[in-house]
Amino acid sequence: MDILVSGILNGAFFATVGVGLSLVFGIIKLVNLAHGELIVLGAYLASLVSTWVGVDPFLALLVVAPATALLAYPVQRYLLTGLLRRGVEPPLVATFGISLLISATLTQLFGGSARSLSTPYASAGVDILGLRLRVIELVGLGIALVLVLSVHLVMKRSKWGIALRGASVDPITAGAMGINVNVVYAVTFAASAAIAAIGGVLIGVAYSFTPVSGANYMLIGFTVVVLGGTGSVLGSLWGGLALGVIQSVGAAVLGGQYRDFVIYAAFIVILALRPIAEDARERLHRARSQRAESSRVEFQTSGVS
Amino acid sequence: MRKSLAVLAATALLLSGCAASSGSGGGGDVIKIGASLPLTGPLASFGGVLQDGYQAAVDEVNKAGGIDIDGTTRKVELTVLDSASDPNTVSEQTRTLVQQNEVAGLLGSVSPGLTIPASNVADLEKVPLVSSLTPIQSWKAGNADGWQYAWDLFFDELQQTSVPFEAADLLDTNKKVALFTDNEEDGIAMGGLWTEKAPSLGYEIAYHAEFPIGTTDYSSYIAAAKASGAEIVITQMIPPDAFALWKQMKALAFVPKAAFCEKCSSQAAFQAELGPIAESTSTSYITAASDDATTQALREEFGAKYGDTVDLTSVLASYTAARILLDAIAAAGSVEPSAINSAIAATSGQYPVGEVTFDDEHAFAIDAVALQWQGDAQVQVSPAADGIEFIAPVTGLQ
């Protein structure tokens, strides 16, 4: 039981890491290799703000999340969107360059040593149903749920969400209908950066971070996106939770030294099985359509006779 | 996708090439020595400490005028490259230091994972390397045929293995131990040694958690350690991972009577980042026993920066490594690698870590003692020192 709960709570962290990546991939079709560094940037900014102002790191997010978004907006608006028109590789390489730039700048400014964000609840625990749980993990679960559901609702229910989806499905037609696709892309990227900053604070409080620890989180993010379905915001929640449980159970069964192996083995298996599953789904869909079509013809024929 | 990966790989190679060539090169009448250090990455907190010790030795020699080579006094130039805590980068940069920077000697990194790749290049290129902050048994195991141009001075794991148990003997415990070890060379080696040695010292390894570097969630391991009834925790892991483990032990109300954070607490950063949670956590580490004028001066110079912590001892150890290399160059009166190597073999002198002479396997073992965080200082608790109490249970985790 505690292994399952531990996996779910840890999976919530993974979901928070994955949701921003999924948003950018789903709307802009951009593989953002700097997402991990944006997470770490958020943690460092929160560290600065909370030290300077003397506030809780999560309260510092009121400044840090918009600040990270403001930094990210022009990057997409004036660099990546232009590169997207030239194909997949240029923006991919550009985000890789941005990741190196962020990492090098943070190292220059803060040194390479590991840091963590200090709060009293970072090491606080609570007993629930006979299980001793970490307060910060419960906070993480709450944040993951609120983030994913908010983004999902904005995407599905708001006019802005319709514009986002329109720009994602057919940017040319969306542009012709008055949607400013460039701005939509930039806002999406900025929102993803703000979400990354939230993840960064969560990780900084719960664990620790260094200027180069973003790469690990990016890999986790990619695994979440693949598990949950590329570009699916809700999927990133299921993907994160599933990844947490897979890792926790895998480590319990095979031994702790295999916790990373379990994640990437699952990643490869899902990548391998996904085309087969999609093919099967496609066939099922076609068979249902054919059945419905023949039923309709039969009905019409019997009606005529 | 394959094309994308090719572009990525090419970019990465280009960027790593730029980083590698950013060190000093140049010619002139200077004696060049170099090191590939973890200035960034998971072991970054050790990089600056090593660099401080190396630079102090170089500055001292230059201040005294330099080293006489064939009748000409030459200054010493230290080139440091950032390995980002990556073993492959260490190999590549050490080769760069030898082939492009043409260094006369090399200085080591921290931990077997980074020092062994540098030592391999030293042996391959036949350029002497002196390292510190790398446990000597794991380092020796890195070359079954025996090192030829590489030298190491630090604690011997066989001696260090006993230190936590001997310290725990000072406390009233049930003699049950929970081990937490990562999958680095020294984590695997120390996990094996503690498991092997515990019964002979009257202890039982009640639980052993093994995990990869970068693990963030330790809750299931902590639950198992608690369930095992262990009253002593011994860990061998990198500092960032230890921050997470210590926070989680506190949150999950696991308060052992003694907690040793080996390698992870071998840094003042442990206390700086964890604050009160670090209180009364222990570690075993080398001592800088010498009390000569040089050691005193170094303690004074770096005391303000590092306080009374293991970082200060690490500076003294890395200073010793650099000073041994520079003394060997001076003794050889040449920058010819084999002559310097022979001079290192003949080392016999007083340094901050003690009277150094290398054994046949190119190592010098420095005795380890048990230290405990008490306030802002790490004080020696075993062997017991006058007026210093070994605090139990671990108050920071209460």
Side-chain angles (χ1 to χ4, degrees):
Chain A
M1 178 65 176
D2 54 347
I3 290 170
L4 203 62
V5 172
S6 164
I8 289 170
L9 292 175
N10 207 31
F13 281 77
F14 296 164
T16 308
V17 169
V19 67
L21 205 58
S22 186
L23 187 64
V24 165
F25 193 79
I27 303 294
I28 312 176
K29 307 285 183 285
L30 170 71
V31 178
N32 179 16
L33 295 178
H35 191 74
E37 278 66 28
L38 288 171
I39 289 172
V40 173
L41 176 66
Y44 274 99
L45 288 177
S47 169
L48 272 186
V49 173
S50 60
T51 306
W52 281 345
V53 188
V55 295
D56 184 275
F58 281 106
L59 211 55
L61 271 174
L62 292 173
V63 177
V64 171
T68 315
L70 279 175
L71 286 171
Y73 183 93
V75 171
Q76 177 66 45
R77 180 73 179 81
Y78 302 108
L79 175 67
L80 297 177
T81 300
L83 291 175
L84 274 168
R85 296 191 190 101
R86 297 185 200 171
V88 178
E89 287 91 354
L92 190 76
V93 174
T95 57
F96 180 59
I98 291 165
S99 74
L100 293 175
L101 186 69
I102 294 173
S103 183
T105 307
L106 292 175
T107 304
Q108 197 64 34
L109 292 174
F110 301 100
S113 301
R115 288 180 176 224
S116 84
L117 298 172
S118 293
T119 64
Y121 50 84
S123 55
V126 61
D127 291 305
I128 298 175
L129 299 173
L131 292 175
R132 180 81 181 172
L133 303 175
R134 298 179 68 203
V135 169
I136 187 62
E137 288 185 332
L138 295 171
V139 171
L141 180 62
I143 287 176
L145 290 172
V146 169
L147 262 183
V148 171
L149 291 176
S150 305
V151 174
H152 176 73
L153 286 175
V154 167
M155 295 279 290
K156 295 288 178 191
R157 301 279 169 88
S158 71
K159 281 184 181 175
W160 181 247
I162 293 167
L164 287 179
R165 286 185 283 137
S168 167
V169 174
D170 188 349
I172 296 169
T173 308
M177 294 178 74
I179 295 170
N180 189 333
V181 175
N182 291 345
V183 170
V184 165
Y185 279 6
V187 169
T188 304
F189 193 75
S192 163
I195 293 169
I198 296 169
V201 171
L202 199 54
I203 285 161
V205 172
Y207 312 127
S208 64
F209 54 94
T210 71
V212 294
S213 55
N216 290 340
Y217 293 114
M218 193 192 67
L219 283 173
I220 286 172
F222 278 141
T223 315
V224 169
V225 169
V226 168
L227 267 172
T230 44
S232 164
V233 171
L234 270 186
S236 60
L237 179 64
W238 310 131
L241 296 178
L243 189 64
V245 171
I246 288 170
Q247 188 189 47
S248 199
V249 172
V253 172
L254 299 172
Q257 61 270 49
Y258 292 102
R259 19 186 338 123
D260 288 349
F261 169 79
V262 167
I263 285 186
Y264 299 113
F267 181 70
I268 290 165
V269 168
I270 287 159
L271 273 181
L273 293 181
R274 173 146 284 169
I276 299 169
E278 281 174 0
D279 188 44
R281 198 188 305 154
E282 181 66 25
R283 283 175 191 218
L284 190 67
H285 178 71
R286 245 182 316 193
R288 277 182 183 159
S289 302
Q290 278 172 357
R291 211 179 305 140
E293 180 63 21
S294 54
S295 302
R296 192 174 60 81
V297 170
E298 270 176 34
F299 175 76
Q300 282 176 342
T301 314
S302 60
V304 168
S305 63
Chain B
M1 190 60 190
R2 194 176 295 171
K3 201 175 166 187
S4 307
L5 286 175
V7 174
L8 264 181
T11 312
L13 279 174
L14 185 70
L15 288 163
S16 63
C18 291
S21 61
S22 62
S24 71
D29 286 336
V30 292
I31 299 164
K32 295 177 183 173
I33 61 172
S36 170
L37 301 180
L39 300 177
T40 57
L43 295 172
S45 48
F46 292 95
V49 172
L50 282 164
Q51 190 171 10
D52 276 349
Y54 293 162
Q55 193 61 54
V58 168
D59 291 346
E60 187 182 64
V61 166
N62 286 338
K63 203 174 168 186
I67 296 175
D68 187 57
I69 304 290
D70 297 330
T72 309
T73 305
R74 296 194 203 173
K75 297 280 188 190
V76 180
E77 184 181 279
L78 170 68
T79 301
V80 170
L81 303 179
D82 177 16
S83 68
S85 308
D86 175 49
N88 294 329
T89 309
V90 171
S91 294
E92 178 202 316
Q93 291 182 337
T94 308
R95 210 168 289 122
T96 301
L97 286 166
V98 173
Q99 294 175 352
Q100 292 179 25
N101 296 49
E102 297 177 336
V103 295
L106 295 159
L107 293 165
S109 188
V110 62
S111 84
L114 299 184
T115 300
I116 289 173
S119 301
N120 277 326
V121 175
D123 264 24
L124 201 67
E125 300 286 343
K126 297 189 190 312
V127 172
L129 174 143
V130 186
S131 61
S132 57
L133 309 198
T134 300
I136 61 175
Q137 292 298 336
S138 303
W139 175 78
K140 282 179 183 175
N143 186 343
D145 299 329
W147 298 107
Q148 299 302 312
Y149 276 78
W151 307 80
D152 185 39
L153 52 124
F154 203 47
F155 60 69
D156 182 330
E157 296 97 311
L158 297 176
Q159 185 262 332
Q160 192 232 5
T161 309
S162 308
V163 173
F165 299 116
E166 287 166 0
D169 282 343
L170 299 171
L171 306 172
D172 180 24
T173 68
N174 64 4
K175 309 263 181 184
K176 286 188 175 181
V177 178
L179 291 180
F180 289 76
T181 57
D182 66 23
N183 63 351
E184 278 226 305
E185 284 91 339
D186 47 357
I188 295 166
M190 291 307 296
L193 284 171
W194 280 316
T195 304
E196 190 185 314
K197 208 158 188 176
S200 66
L201 295 169
Y203 287 83
E204 176 199 342
I205 302 300
Y207 175 68
H208 188 176
E210 295 171 279
F211 42 82
I213 278 187
T215 297
T216 50
D217 178 30
Y218 295 93
S219 47
S220 56
Y221 304 129
I222 293 167
K226 268 173 87 172
S228 75
E231 289 187 342
I232 300 157
V233 166
I234 306 177
T235 71
Q236 177 86 19
M237 56 204 298
I238 59 170
D241 296 352
F243 297 163
L245 173 61
W246 251 246
K247 282 181 180 179
Q248 288 169 43
M249 280 204 289
K250 185 173 165 69
L252 301 177
F254 182 35
V255 189
K257 289 193 173 168
F260 290 84
C261 196
E262 306 294 9
K263 186 160 86 172
C264 34
S265 176
S266 301
Q267 284 276 278
F270 183 79
Q271 197 249 7
E273 291 304 320
L274 287 175
I277 299 173
E279 184 63 16
S280 70
T281 289
S282 305
T283 191
S284 27
Y285 206 63
I286 55 168
T287 47
S290 179
D291 205 25
D292 61 12
T294 307
T295 310
Q296 291 286 9
L298 288 167
R299 283 185 184 282
E300 209 166 289
E301 184 182 349
F302 292 101
K305 183 174 179 182
Y306 294 113
D308 193 7
T309 67
V310 286
D311 283 351
L312 184 58
T313 312
S314 298
V315 170
L316 296 173
S318 55
Y319 164 88
T320 301
R323 193 64 223 215
I324 286 170
L325 176 64
L326 297 174
D327 287 351
I329 295 172
S334 159
V335 288
E336 209 277 309
S338 62
I340 299 170
N341 204 45
S342 299
I344 295 172
T347 296
S348 177
Q350 186 67 38
Y351 292 92
V353 297
E355 179 83 26
V356 178
T357 49
F358 288 102
D359 64 19
D360 292 342
E361 294 176 282
H362 289 209
F364 171 70
I366 309 168
D367 275 349
V369 298
L371 306 166
Q372 187 178 40
W373 278 107
Q374 293 186 10
D376 291 334
Q378 281 176 295
V379 298
Q380 183 177 325
V381 288
S382 173
D386 281 346
I388 295 173
E389 186 195 352
F390 189 6
I391 297 168
V394 184
T395 48
L397 298 176
Q398 283 180 313

